[in-house]
Structures are given as C-alpha cells and as structure tokens.
Amino acid sequence: GFGTLGSQNIPDYAYQSVFNLNSGTSVNNVLAPGYAQTSLALEDLQWEVAQTVNVGFDVGLYDDKITFSAEYYNKAVKDVLVGVALPSSVGFSQPVIQNVGEINNSGFEFEGLYRMKTGGLNLNIGANISTFNSEITSLPNPVVGPTITEDGVRGNRFIEGEAPGVYWGFEVDGVYADQAAIDSDANLANDDTRKAIVQPGDFIRIDQNGDGVIDGDDQTILGDPTPDFIYGLNLSGTYKNLDFGLFLQGTQGNEIYNVTKYYNIFWADDNKLSDIKNAWTPSNTATDIPRTTTSDAAQNGAPSSFFVEDGSYLRLRTLELGYTLDVEKVSWLRDVRIFVTGQNLFTITGYSGYNPDISSANGGRAGNSSFFGVPSSVNPLLGRGLDVRAYPNTRSFIFGIQAGF
C-alpha cells in the first residue's frame, strides 16, 4: 500500500506571533504599561507530510487455528514540525516552530495467533514483534533538544544521519580515586586548566580526539532512545467455569537519559537517591558515584554517559483470573462472574529509574508548563527517552463481581 498523510502537530495559532499585553516597561524610571512580542512565527510554515509504503501478507492454517501476518513498512516524514529553541539573547523564551528536516522510519511487524480447543480447555496464544530503524535523512543544522534541568542542561541532539534524539555529552570512565590518578591521566596530558579544576572524586572524561585536552570537541553520541524492537505476548482462555488472561509487553535495545540522577545526586536541593551513600570519599575510592559538592566546579552534572542507561524491559501489564458461578437455580440471575485483576505486577529491567516505559520527557508530566522538559505544545519527538523524574506506574489489584439479570 501507499499513502500520504499531513500532520499539524503544533499548538494552536503557532503560525502567528504572540504579544503580551501586560508587559511593563520603564519610561524615565517610571513603570509604564505596555506590550511586547513573546514568540516568533514563520510565515512559510507548512504541514508535516508523511509518505508511507507497506507490503505484507496474512496466512491462516487449519481452519485459522494458526494465523500469521507479516508486514514491511517504510515511512518518510518530510517538513518535520519541531519547536527549535532560540538563544536567550533573542528575547523569546518559547521555541519557534519550524519545518526542519526529514526522517525515515522503517521496519518489520510480525504477529501470530494460535487457537486450541481440547476437552474443556479453550486457549488463545498471541504474540507480536516489531522492529525499528529510524534515521534523520535531511537536517541542514543540528537541532539541540529541550532543557531538562533548572540550569538549562540539554541532553539530546538531532543530527543528520543519526537516529532522532540521540543523547549527547561526555563519555566518562569512573571517577578519579586520588590526586595521583589525576596527575597521570592521559586524557588531561595537555590540559593544565582542567587539571587545576578537577579533584579526586570527579568524573574521568574520555578524550575522544586524542589531543590531551577535554573540551566540547570530546562530546559524542552516548545512546539512542529508539528501541531495536518491541514485543508482546497475549494469553487467554477458559477451562470449564474458569477464565484467565495475561498480557506481557516489552522493548529491547533503547537507552534512557535518567535526569533523576542529576536531581537526586548532584542537585543541592531535593531528596537524594540511596546511591549517594556510595559517593566518593577518601575512604571510599572504589566507586563510580562522584564526590558530593555544592559547587561542582568540574561540572560532574553535565550530560555524560553516567546518566544514560539501558532502557530495555519486560513487564507483566495485566493478569486476570475469573470464575463464573452456576446460577441456573436462581431465576432472576442470568450469570455471575467473580474476578481478580492485577496490573503492572512486575517489571524485569536493568534501568535504575522508576519507570522504563517512557516515550517523551517527564514521563507524562510534560503538560505541566512550569516544569522542565518538553512542554505539551512542542513535538514530543524532541523529548523521547528523557526521564525527567517520571512518575512510577501504579501496581493495582482489582476485585470484582459481574452479574447479569
């Protein structure tokens, strides 16, 4: 199949400049009412256009007891709508919506279902898996992602030839155990300036270009929020009066930028993670948690591989067990079913944050415009994989009775 679809994934009236009618100004040292432009709009703004090509097939065997489907898709997105941040010197705090480039998404989707009936058992087993390959195919200039901390840190970038929203920063290799480790570090061979700043317990930054100096040229791609594949497993069935069902879901191959580490290890305010107990001290040098400090002259809180973690996970989304009572002798009842349902019962993951299942900044908190990260009015593509203190998913148990009359 082939199709073209337009998208206007931008806030209302983003094609118009906005003026604040309550902007005060000073005239002869006296506060006077006035108005000021607070956002920019481009006159040549266009719809985002997605062109999709897909090819697939479906197979059914043994009277559809076994079914299988496969599909290949290729989606080219042109004139991508993105809120691009402006320098503060421009005088506008809001990003300007632009058509900035092209993205190509492609992959395979497979789905299978097995139905079995034997004796009093009816069983349905379904599984699916989808692969992903995402690449920015055209982008005149790299786009820097949204701010994710109070001091304006930005943890991701959009670069032509790379996946959207790759994490960008310094690769670190533990912390300096002592002053001798700093003096002998080849990464600082020609960097007396940084040698004078770093102290034992600060991060060891890797000199990517081998010039013996740690600077902006040593920042590199640290990870990718796009998973290699996602998958799911559905199991449902009945046995006589008993019914059951479960749903497992997961992702594999994606990374997450864990901003929670920044706030709860490095930030002077807020509660702290238990990791802080393992921070570097003169008596605890075998650690990867840097020293505690309020000044952070070495900028340990700057974007680095320390914050990037494997985001792969497997989660039991739903498990349900029910039993239908025999009510044939009760004339005014048609049926009664007692059930218990558990949601988010367990998650298998190596991610240290609350919830590896995040698709955009703030993990659902992006609508709070006073918080840091991608506001709800900006394309969520910018914030993929940025965990800005996302809420954990709730584990719940539901008991119920269903009755028919």
Side-chain angles (χ1 to χ4, degrees):
F2 173 81
T4 300
L5 181 66
S7 172
Q8 53 174 358
N9 188 25
I10 59 174
D12 295 336
Y13 308 109
Y15 58 89
Q16 295 178 333
S17 298
V18 175
F19 288 79
N20 185 347
L21 302 181
N22 298 307
S23 295
T25 186
S26 176
V27 178
N28 296 325
N29 295 322
V30 177
L31 184 64
Y35 64 93
Q37 186 174 353
T38 57
S39 69
L40 288 174
L42 302 181
E43 295 181 357
D44 59 350
L45 203 62
Q46 305 177 50
W47 281 52
E48 181 178 295
V49 177
Q51 294 182 340
T52 303
V53 177
N54 64 308
V55 178
F57 65 87
D58 300 308
V59 175
L61 302 173
Y62 307 109
D63 294 327
D64 285 342
K65 290 181 179 179
I66 299 176
T67 60
F68 177 79
S69 64
E71 179 181 337
Y72 169 78
Y73 67 92
N74 189 298
K75 181 179 180 181
V77 185
K78 300 180 179 180
D79 297 322
V80 177
L81 290 166
V82 172
V84 179
L86 298 175
S88 57
S89 58
V90 176
F92 301 102
S93 60
Q94 295 297 320
V96 58
I97 306 298
Q98 299 183 25
N99 299 103
V100 297
E102 301 179 5
I103 298 176
N104 183 268
N105 300 312
S106 61
F108 293 90
E109 297 180 347
F110 303 97
E111 184 174 352
L113 177 64
Y114 173 67
R115 300 181 179 91
M116 181 184 72
K117 291 184 178 182
T118 176
L121 176 65
N122 296 322
L123 184 65
N124 296 320
I125 303 174
N128 62 80
I129 184 170
S130 299
T131 68
F132 290 98
N133 180 45
S134 187
E135 179 184 349
I136 298 174
T137 54
S138 176
L139 190 64
N141 298 295
V143 173
V144 181
T147 59
I148 53 178
T149 67
E150 293 184 32
D151 48 2
V153 168
R154 300 173 187 269
N156 64 346
R157 288 193 178 187
F158 297 78
I159 305 169
E160 185 172 315
E162 302 293 341
V166 292
Y167 309 126
W168 183 265
F170 294 100
E171 181 184 358
V172 297
D173 185 19
V175 300
Y176 292 108
D178 49 35
Q179 185 61 43
I182 297 174
D183 297 336
S184 62
D185 184 14
N187 296 295
L188 303 177
N190 301 313
D191 198 343
D192 293 336
T193 300
R194 184 161 178 80
K195 270 189 178 180
I197 294 175
V198 296
Q199 299 181 31
D202 288 332
F203 278 135
I204 303 171
R205 292 181 177 176
I206 301 300
D207 177 23
Q208 299 290 341
N209 59 10
D211 63 359
V213 176
I214 298 298
D215 55 23
D217 293 336
D218 296 306
Q219 296 185 78
T220 186
I221 294 173
L222 304 173
D224 177 4
T226 306
D228 295 329
F229 60 90
I230 63 175
Y231 58 94
L233 175 66
N234 277 289
L235 175 65
S236 63
T238 61
Y239 180 72
K240 297 183 179 179
N241 289 16
L242 183 71
D243 62 88
F244 52 89
L246 67 81
F247 173 45
L248 290 162
Q249 180 264 333
T251 71
Q252 186 68 37
N254 61 298
E255 283 84 34
I256 297 174
Y257 192 99
N258 188 354
V259 188
T260 300
K261 281 186 174 181
Y262 173 85
Y263 281 108
N264 299 128
I265 293 179
F266 298 95
W267 196 244
D269 302 330
D270 296 343
N271 295 322
K272 301 303 175 188
L273 297 172
S274 61
D275 302 44
I276 203 72
K277 296 180 180 179
N278 192 35
W280 181 95
T281 66
S283 60
N284 181 41
T285 60
T287 178
D288 62 348
I289 306 297
R291 65 190 177 95
T292 57
T293 174
T294 57
S295 62
D296 195 19
Q299 296 185 320
N300 293 317
S304 73
S305 55
F306 175 78
F307 301 98
V308 179
E309 302 183 35
D310 182 7
S312 304
Y313 70 91
L314 170 64
R315 172 170 288 165
L316 178 57
R317 291 282 188 182
T318 306
L319 177 63
E320 181 167 307
L321 184 65
Y323 186 83
T324 301
L325 301 177
D326 186 357
V327 293
E328 291 183 356
K329 296 182 179 180
V330 183
S331 60
W332 50 274
L333 274 179
R334 185 176 72 249
D335 55 66
V336 175
R337 177 176 176 263
I338 301 173
F339 69 92
V340 57
T341 301
Q343 297 178 334
N344 300 315
L345 296 184
F346 69 78
T347 302
I348 300 174
T349 183
Y351 181 57
S352 66
Y354 289 129
N355 181 19
D357 182 19
I358 60 171
S359 57
S360 62
N362 302 338
R365 300 172 73 177
N368 185 349
S369 59
S370 65
F371 202 73
F372 316 104
V374 181
S376 58
S377 60
V378 177
N379 192 327
L381 175 69
L382 288 175
R384 293 167 62 245
L386 300 176
D387 182 1
V388 187
R389 300 193 284 193
Y391 289 130
N393 278 6
T394 302
R395 179 182 295 121
S396 62
F397 297 91
I398 302 171
F399 299 88
I401 298 176
Q402 295 173 327
F405 303 94

